[in-house]
Amino acid sequence: MDSADSRSFRLTPRTQVLLVALTAALVYAGTLSNGFVYDDVQLVVDNPWLRSWSELSNAFQRPLFPVEDGAINDSARGPAASYFRPLAHVLFFAQRAVFGLEAWGFHLVLLLMHAAVCALVLWLLRACLKVKEPGASPAAEWGALAGALLFAVHPVHTESVAWLSGCMDVAATLLVLLAVRLMVAGPSSWGRGVGAGLLWAAGLLFKEVAVVFPAVLWATDRATGEGVSPPGLKGWVRRYAPLGVGALGYAALRLNAVGLSVPLQGGEGSGGLYPLHLLALVGKLGGKLFWPHPLVVTIPSQVSPLVSEVVLGSVLLLLLAGALWRSWRASPAVLAGGVWLLTPLLPIFLMQLRGVEAYAERFLYLPSVGFCLLMAVGAKWVLERWPGQSRALGLAAGGVVVVFAALTLARVPAWRDDISLWEDTLSKTPEEPSIHAYLGASYLKARRVEEAIAPLQVAVAAMPQLYQPQSDLAVAYALMGRMDLAVPQLERVHAMRPREPVVLHNLGLALRKSGRLEEAVERFRAVLRLAPRRADSHLELGRTLLQLGRPAEAVVSLEEALRLRPDSAPARDGLRQARLAVGATP
């Protein structure tokens, strides 16, 4: 269509918002049939902090991943010990209160959050392209709409939107966009600044990536023409100083919970090929923005980077640096797009440079706001340069959106459950032993024990230093009734991790099944010395004591199991049997 045609087909802003939000919802509607996958089990299904309001307070005092009291030393849990995201637990707590453990409800909330982000991305693109200003060309409006639709359907967002644990990226992005909108919506004031600062703090409490808010706000201010008032230092203080309220509040909570820890493995990035790994990471992540296929949860670690990835990463960094340099004054919208794209990735690049494997598609959720803004600027420029080709250009842009939507629709089912996820991942990274371990554990959880043996054996042979595959293999042997293999395997795992409660607990179960009841009692008691609030171990200790004909001791253990887990039917039944055995009222 020519420029006159484009004016006649202009959509109202409200219609555009509905179109973008509805497109996002339709593309990800398939997630409603997905379940709890990967970290969702630890964060939602088995999360001890979601049992009550009092337990939920732990989320504000400890790192992200919940553990029973005393079960694991936080200092031994690697980079994850630095993740402080308590509002994720608050969100899960609220959702469990409404939906129970019906996964569709959690997915519905996440889908709606993504749709809201898409609507805010449309607002941001329109604001940076100055669609509402007098004399703004239709090309700016169509460019903003195309960029927002691209964000809505981009396949690289599947990990964040189809995986419930990905809600942290979506929520942090949503709150950063809301804070930017609040600041840009009107003149500077302390009230507006404090409100935005509180939104910023909430974003940080979902995920640390929200730390980029001041940078993206500054870039957006430049793109929209929002200046400080009055000019000079006083205006800067009036506009940006109130944001410190949120920063200080977050800092106080974080210091109390995790101190000054950061997710970096000190000293590992001092040499070697890590600079090349960094460039390869830029190529991998940047390439996914332009062509998001194939998508994969993880990639082989500690391998030499491909030359093609290093070259692509170098080219992308040079192009972005050049665009930022040239746009400093000439094109504030390009500058804003570059800042939104690059600043959220800087911590990821630092992690990679320090030797922490940092590839994950969810890391692109917030940066892709900047990518889509750059694409919107490009679409606007092309439409203005060749107005007579607007119909062809519109068809090309629509084709890209349709292809990306199709790729997303095809990717969503991979996140249906653990088995589908790890089977898909293994088909793309067959040489990665950790994926064999995840797949074997998934088969084991689904009680497809015979299928679990082979991938677990591969993982154990390739990673003999890791206890989890060794432990899972022992459990698989036990479920097959091969206690002659299970007990020695668990003894080896126990020698590797003598203070790991899960291993001791499983060893107690295996010893009991082998008829070695006294040894089983000893192992369960050792578990409870390490983790006194472990309800399952109290339960199994009570059951074992009951088998030994010591019901009075069993009553004590089973009462504690029921106190810790009031809804535990096995504990209730075991306690009834133990009380009958001692002649007490059941």
Side-chain angles (χ1 to χ4, degrees):
M1 72 185 97
D2 58 24
S3 58
D5 292 332
S6 65
R7 291 189 187 95
S8 64
F9 281 94
R10 291 175 72 174
L11 303 174
T12 66
R14 179 174 295 180
T15 302
Q16 292 183 34
V17 170
L18 291 174
L19 175 62
V20 169
L22 183 61
T23 299
L26 289 175
V27 168
Y28 284 101
T31 62
L32 298 179
S33 62
N34 289 359
F36 298 106
V37 180
Y38 195 17
D39 288 340
D40 297 345
V41 176
Q42 186 176 3
L43 291 174
V44 181
V45 180
D46 297 333
N47 190 342
W49 299 347
L50 305 186
R51 296 173 190 159
S52 66
W53 283 105
S54 59
E55 295 279 2
L56 185 60
S57 64
N58 286 305
F60 290 86
Q61 303 171 41
R62 301 186 182 183
L64 171 64
F65 289 98
V67 293
E68 298 284 0
D69 287 350
I72 298 178
N73 187 338
D74 287 342
S75 64
R77 290 164 54 218
S82 300
Y83 301 158
F84 178 59
R85 303 166 188 175
L87 287 190
H89 296 277
V90 174
L91 177 61
F92 292 143
F93 182 88
Q95 290 172 306
R96 279 189 58 161
V98 176
F99 303 111
L101 287 177
E102 296 291 334
W104 69 265
F106 291 77
H107 283 290
L108 176 62
V109 172
L110 184 51
L111 184 153
L112 294 175
M113 289 169 60
H114 175 61
V117 170
C118 295
L120 286 167
V121 168
L122 175 62
W123 164 82
L124 178 70
L125 271 52
R126 288 171 61 88
C128 290
L129 296 182
K130 302 182 179 179
V131 171
K132 291 184 178 181
E133 289 195 359
S137 68
E141 186 162 357
W142 286 108
L145 179 60
L149 286 171
L150 178 62
F151 185 92
V153 304
H154 205 301
V156 83
H157 297 157
T158 310
E159 183 170 320
S160 296
V161 183
W163 180 35
L164 292 176
S165 297
C167 74
M168 289 173 270
D169 287 276
V170 179
T173 302
L174 176 63
L175 289 161
V176 166
L177 284 164
L178 283 172
V180 170
R181 180 162 188 177
L182 178 61
M183 290 294 288
V184 176
S188 299
S189 69
W190 281 90
R192 192 180 299 278
V194 170
L198 293 175
L199 288 171
W200 180 27
L204 286 165
L205 292 171
F206 268 108
K207 192 168 184 179
E208 295 81 356
V209 70
V211 72
V212 304
F213 168 61
V216 297
L217 172 61
W218 168 80
T220 306
D221 281 345
R222 284 181 59 91
T224 58
E226 184 70 36
V228 295
S229 178
L233 179 60
K234 183 176 181 180
W236 278 83
V237 170
R238 182 178 181 183
R239 181 159 183 79
Y240 296 108
L243 303 178
V245 173
L248 290 173
Y250 168 74
L253 290 171
R254 180 179 176 85
L255 285 170
N256 179 64
V258 299
L260 296 174
S261 63
V262 293
L264 298 176
Q265 296 172 350
E268 294 191 17
S270 58
L273 292 175
Y274 288 123
L276 292 182
H277 278 276
L278 170 60
L279 292 174
L281 178 66
V282 175
K284 292 169 185 174
L285 292 176
K288 295 298 182 185
L289 290 172
F290 288 97
W291 180 237
H293 184 78
L295 297 176
V296 63
V297 174
T298 187
I299 57 174
S301 58
Q302 305 304 322
V303 296
S304 298
L306 297 177
V307 173
S308 59
E309 294 171 342
V310 173
V311 172
L312 178 58
S314 302
V315 170
L316 290 175
L317 278 181
L318 287 173
L319 288 175
L320 184 57
L324 290 174
W325 176 262
R326 294 196 62 182
S327 64
W328 183 259
R329 294 188 181 277
S331 181
V334 173
L335 176 65
V339 172
W340 277 90
L341 172 60
L342 185 59
T343 51
L345 290 173
L346 291 178
I348 307 303
F349 295 158
L350 177 60
M351 290 171 63
Q352 184 72 40
L353 194 62
R354 291 292 302 275
V356 179
E357 196 61 45
Y359 175 89
E361 286 147 15
R362 64 184 178 276
F363 295 158
L364 288 170
Y365 191 84
L366 178 54
S368 64
V369 174
F371 173 76
C372 291
L373 175 53
L374 291 173
M375 293 300 102
V377 173
K380 172 181 177 290
W381 180 82
V382 170
L383 285 169
E384 290 178 341
R385 188 173 180 85
W386 292 288
Q389 301 299 319
S390 58
R391 183 185 297 275
L393 295 171
L395 289 174
V400 170
V401 170
V402 169
V403 170
F404 276 31
L407 290 173
T408 298
L409 289 168
R411 180 63 177 161
V412 165
W415 288 90
R416 182 178 62 254
D417 54 40
D418 281 326
I419 291 176
S420 62
L421 176 64
W422 298 121
E423 285 181 341
D424 174 83
T425 307
L426 188 62
S427 69
K428 297 168 182 173
T429 56
E431 303 302 321
E432 178 61 22
S434 64
I435 307 305
H436 287 271
Y438 284 128
L439 180 58
S442 301
Y443 284 140
L444 190 61
K445 181 180 176 182
R447 290 299 186 263
R448 293 163 59 173
V449 182
E450 292 185 2
E451 294 174 86
I453 296 292
L456 287 174
Q457 288 175 334
V458 170
V460 166
M463 303 181 296
Q465 76 282 5
L466 296 185
Y467 91 94
Q468 191 61 57
Q470 301 265 5
S471 178
D472 289 340
L473 182 60
V475 172
Y477 287 148
L479 290 175
M480 292 182 68
R482 294 298 307 272
M483 297 304 157
D484 57 319
L485 297 176
V487 171
Q489 178 69 22
L490 282 167
E491 293 284 8
R492 285 192 289 272
V493 179
H494 177 50
M496 295 170 62
R497 296 288 290 271
R499 296 183 60 81
E500 178 56 58
V502 173
V503 176
L504 277 168
H505 180 88
N506 289 336
L507 182 55
L509 292 175
L511 288 169
R512 188 174 69 192
K513 289 182 180 179
S514 300
R516 297 158 64 177
L517 300 183
E518 290 290 354
E519 294 177 75
V521 168
E522 181 182 340
R523 295 302 188 279
F524 289 131
R525 283 180 170 159
V527 173
L528 295 172
R529 284 193 292 271
L530 293 171
R533 291 173 56 83
R534 189 177 175 88
D536 288 348
S537 297
H538 283 287
L539 170 64
E540 300 305 338
L541 174 59
R543 286 173 159 178
T544 309
L545 290 168
L546 198 55
Q547 283 185 250
L548 281 168
R550 293 151 62 180
E553 296 176 66
V555 167
V556 176
S557 295
L558 292 166
E559 284 179 339
E560 182 63 11
L562 195 61
R563 186 187 71 80
L564 293 169
R565 292 280 179 85
D567 58 343
S568 173
R572 191 178 300 109
D573 293 341
L575 182 59
R576 184 183 301 109
Q577 294 175 31
R579 284 174 172 171
L580 285 172
V582 296
T585 302

